[in-house]
Amino acid sequence: MTGTMTGTGTLIRLILRRDRVLLPVWIVITALLPASIASATTDLYADQAARDSFAAASASNPAQLAMRGPIYDASVGGLTAWTLGSSLALFGGLISILLMIRHTRVEEETGRRELLASGVIGRHAPLAAALAVVLAANLLHGLLSMPALVAGGLPAGSSLLFGLSTAAGGWAFAAVAAITGQLTASSGTARGIAIAIGGLLFALRSLADTGGIGWLAWLTPFGWVRLTKPYAGDQWWVLGLIAVFVTALAAAAFALSTRRDVAGGLIPARPGPAEGTLPGAFGLAARLHRGTLAGFAIGFERWAPCSAWRRAG
């Protein structure tokens, strides 16, 4: 195993060099956002009665439940965790997926992995380096969010749990991307599969909260992030579920990487049709942009009821 990890440190330095702008920007913004939301919550809802009224209104709104889940505690900390819990897990998960595929599957697709392998680089070093950087970046922004929250008057233990729970969302989907990067030779397909899995798991959490099927939340990382309940009981043990999930998927990704060729995937590529099937330029444009159009339509449909509720309020 040691030989297969040779060169991991060198690849970590290479990743940090390549992402020397993206990583700090992501970490700093994500670390400062919770304190900003906590401050805004204090300004908007100056007393407990106002916060209780807002919590009651949110609990009766299906769009809010679908996007953010229930409010476990109507304190400043509880509302901050409710506002950002799912959102930061979703954002961190997306960034983690993109970074993992960028530094694993894209490297193989462009031929850079084969070039690096001509030196002293072990079989598992690229995957290990990518996981190390992405997991550490998530952990760092989670830890850095704590001091500003504590300075704003929130409990230290709950603030630490909140930071770790948001980081855990990124860990989970970094592990998912580590798996999908082994399945296909196309980086676009690997990204698409990982993002689709993330969307499915988010929808599962939304269904659990809007449909009153609470046990479904225990089947998705988005549910686990919320069920840590920072500022509302602090269920630290839920982080153990995410740790087991990440460890299992990471181990599976390393095992799968030994069962395929470099630049290849476990799922064989299908040959295309002998003749073109797209009906001209319009058909090509529709084919290229079908994902964007579908995402826009779904997003508009989801957000329209929420916007109408806000205007009515």
Side-chain angles (χ1 to χ4, degrees), residues 279-306:
F282 180 80
L284 176 61
R287 177 68 176 272
L288 292 175
H289 299 294
R290 65 188 185 279
T292 303
L293 293 173
F296 173 79
I298 294 171
F300 181 81
E301 181 68 21
R302 175 177 289 273
W303 282 102
C306 184

Side-chain angles (χ1 to χ4, degrees), residues 11 36 58:
L11 292 180
S36 174
S58 298

Side-chain angles (χ1 to χ4, degrees), residues 8 12 15-16 100 125-139 254:
T8 301
I12 288 175
I15 293 172
L16 293 176
M100 283 298 302
L127 179 56
L131 275 172
V133 171
V134 175
L135 296 183
N138 279 285
L139 177 61
F254 283 114

Side-chain angles (χ1 to χ4, degrees), residues 165-257:
S165 66
T166 58
W171 296 341
F173 290 100
V176 169
I179 289 285
T180 62
Q182 313 305 317
L183 300 181
T184 172
S186 167
S187 59
T189 304
R191 275 191 295 265
I193 294 174
I195 292 172
I197 292 173
L200 177 63
L201 293 175
F202 187 87
L204 196 64
R205 201 277 305 153
S206 295
L207 179 62
D209 292 328
T210 57
I213 315 173
W215 60 269
L216 282 178
W218 292 99
L219 303 180
T220 164
F222 289 109
W224 301 336
V225 168
R226 296 281 294 119
L227 289 167
T228 56
K229 296 184 179 181
Y231 309 103
D234 294 354
Q235 298 192 120
W236 286 86
W237 65 269
V238 179
L239 291 177
L241 295 177
I242 301 177
V244 171
F245 179 83
V246 172
T247 301
L249 289 192
F254 283 114
L256 292 175
S257 71

Side-chain angles (χ1 to χ4, degrees), residues 30 44 70 147 182 259 279 290 295:
T30 309
L44 287 172
Q182 313 305 317
R259 297 177 178 272
R290 65 188 185 279

Side-chain angles (χ1 to χ4, degrees), residues 42-210:
T42 302
D43 293 339
L44 287 172
Y45 310 104
D47 54 38
Q48 189 59 46
R51 291 192 289 270
D52 289 338
S53 176
F54 173 78
S58 298
S60 63
N61 184 267
Q64 294 280 29
L65 285 175
M67 292 301 298
R68 294 173 175 168
I71 297 175
Y72 295 121
D73 186 77
S75 63
V76 172
L79 292 178
T80 300
W82 171 78
T83 301
L84 290 178
S86 292
S87 300
L88 286 182
L90 183 63
F91 178 68
L94 179 60
I95 295 294
S96 297
I97 287 171
L98 296 178
L99 285 174
M100 283 298 302
I101 299 301
R102 166 181 165 85
H103 294 296
T104 54
R105 176 50 59 186
V106 171
E107 293 295 284
E108 296 188 30
E109 191 175 33
T110 58
R112 284 192 292 266
R113 163 71 189 280
E114 188 173 2
L115 178 63
L116 289 172
S118 64
V120 187
I121 297 295
R123 172 80 184 192
H124 295 321
L127 179 56
L131 275 172
V133 171
V134 175
L135 296 183
N138 279 285
L139 177 61
L140 188 57
H141 78 64
L143 293 176
L144 290 178
S145 68
M146 176 188 169
L149 289 170
V150 173
L154 298 181
S158 296
S159 299
L160 177 60
L161 176 60
F162 174 61
L164 291 178
S165 66
T166 58
W171 296 341
F173 290 100
V176 169
I179 289 285
T180 62
Q182 313 305 317
L183 300 181
T184 172
S186 167
S187 59
T189 304
R191 275 191 295 265
I193 294 174
I195 292 172
I197 292 173
L200 177 63
L201 293 175
F202 187 87
L204 196 64
R205 201 277 305 153
S206 295
L207 179 62
D209 292 328
T210 57

